Amino acid sequence: MKLIIGNRAYSSWSMRGWLACKQSGLEFEELVVPLFGEEWEKHREGDEFAPSLGKVPILWDGDCVVWDSLAIIEFLADRVGREKYWPEDESARGMARSMAAEMHSGFSNLRRELPMNVRRNYGETVLSPEVEAEIIRILNLWAQARARFATGGDYLFGTWCAADIMFAPVVTRFVTYGVKIPPFAAAYMEAVLHRGDVVEWIEMAQDEPWVIEQYEGETKA
């Protein structure tokens, strides 16, 4: 398998696709194509990017191509077993899928105003009312999942699953922009940030030579 991703520092969707591949336990090759640069434009015109219209991540498995992080999760779950990605309990699984889908389609203000940058920590940042409302929604979802289904585990549904993969870039955003969070969320974030594959992604991001200025602006309180 071959996974094409963007900059580890900035590409939240790439992070999700990569974490999904790591969770599968299958071997895969990585190709990092820096966003918005000359190499990016050249690759976007090639056949490897064609199915996704130039978006990352893209997973190639022989002649089979899958794009979009949530689709990659589902493809790999079919390959290696759905229990590696989704909770066994039906109610937990239903909530995990709903949370993953909401993360996939929602929270547009947070995405736009707090772009991912795992190399920076701006400290406490001024948040718009729209972003604050979305953060409250995220924290409420985390609280519900942890209270109902996380008995005996550190993650949203106890053991690491697709919902955690989808929210992992949000965890890094909360760190980058100094978002104030309650103790239960801090404990969950610590578990995510100390997970081996998340640590690996963040460490590799530090060594990237590329800088995208539009993702480097500081808006401190």
Side-chain angles (χ1 to χ4, degrees), residues 106-111 129-139:
F107 308 109
S108 59
N109 295 295
L110 184 143
R111 298 181 200 281
E130 293 78 12
V131 169
E132 286 185 340
E134 291 181 354
I135 289 172
I136 290 170
R137 171 60 176 169
I138 289 169
L139 293 174

Side-chain angles (χ1 to χ4, degrees), residues 24-211:
S24 74
L26 300 172
E27 291 187 7
F28 65 99
E29 174 190 354
E30 301 170 35
L31 173 61
V32 180
V33 181
L35 301 171
F36 311 132
E38 213 173 286
E39 189 178 349
W40 170 254
E41 293 302 327
K42 183 176 69 175
H43 273 87
R44 289 185 74 190
E45 295 172 0
D47 293 339
E48 284 187 320
F49 271 78
S52 71
L53 296 179
K55 296 178 181 178
V56 289
I58 311 168
L59 180 66
W60 285 90
D61 185 9
D63 292 332
C64 178
V65 59
V66 187
W67 62 97
D68 186 285
S69 299
L70 196 52
I72 289 171
I73 287 172
E74 293 292 1
F75 173 76
L76 293 170
D78 287 341
R79 281 283 302 272
V80 301
R82 307 198 69 75
E83 68 280 357
K84 294 202 75 166
Y85 291 90
W86 300 107
E88 181 180 357
D89 177 81
E90 187 177 59
S91 295
R93 191 166 62 251
M95 185 174 184
R97 284 192 170 126
S98 297
M99 287 176 63
E102 185 169 347
M103 183 68 254
H104 184 268
S105 62
F107 308 109
S108 59
N109 295 295
L110 184 143
R111 298 181 200 281
R112 181 177 61 256
E113 297 181 34
L114 305 183
M116 178 167 140
N117 188 341
V118 301
R119 295 193 297 216
R120 300 297 296 270
N121 188 332
Y122 298 126
E124 187 178 344
T125 302
V126 175
L127 303 174
S128 71
E130 293 78 12
V131 169
E132 286 185 340
E134 291 181 354
I135 289 172
I136 290 170
R137 171 60 176 169
I138 289 169
L139 293 174
N140 283 336
L141 289 173
W142 288 3
Q144 291 175 45
R146 292 284 301 154
R148 293 181 62 190
F149 301 113
T151 305
D154 295 328
Y155 301 111
L156 292 174
F157 294 86
T159 57
W160 183 257
C161 74
D164 299 295
I165 290 171
M166 293 298 291
F167 280 96
V170 174
V171 169
T172 72
R173 279 179 165 99
F174 285 0
V175 173
T176 298
Y177 296 97
V179 175
K180 293 181 179 179
I181 54 172
F184 89 89
Y188 169 63
M189 287 173 55
E190 281 297 304
V192 172
L193 292 168
H194 285 88
R195 183 177 169 83
D197 45 9
V198 175
V199 170
E200 184 181 354
W201 176 274
I202 293 172
E203 287 181 346
M204 289 189 292
Q206 310 310 310
D207 297 328
E208 290 181 335
W210 313 291
V211 174

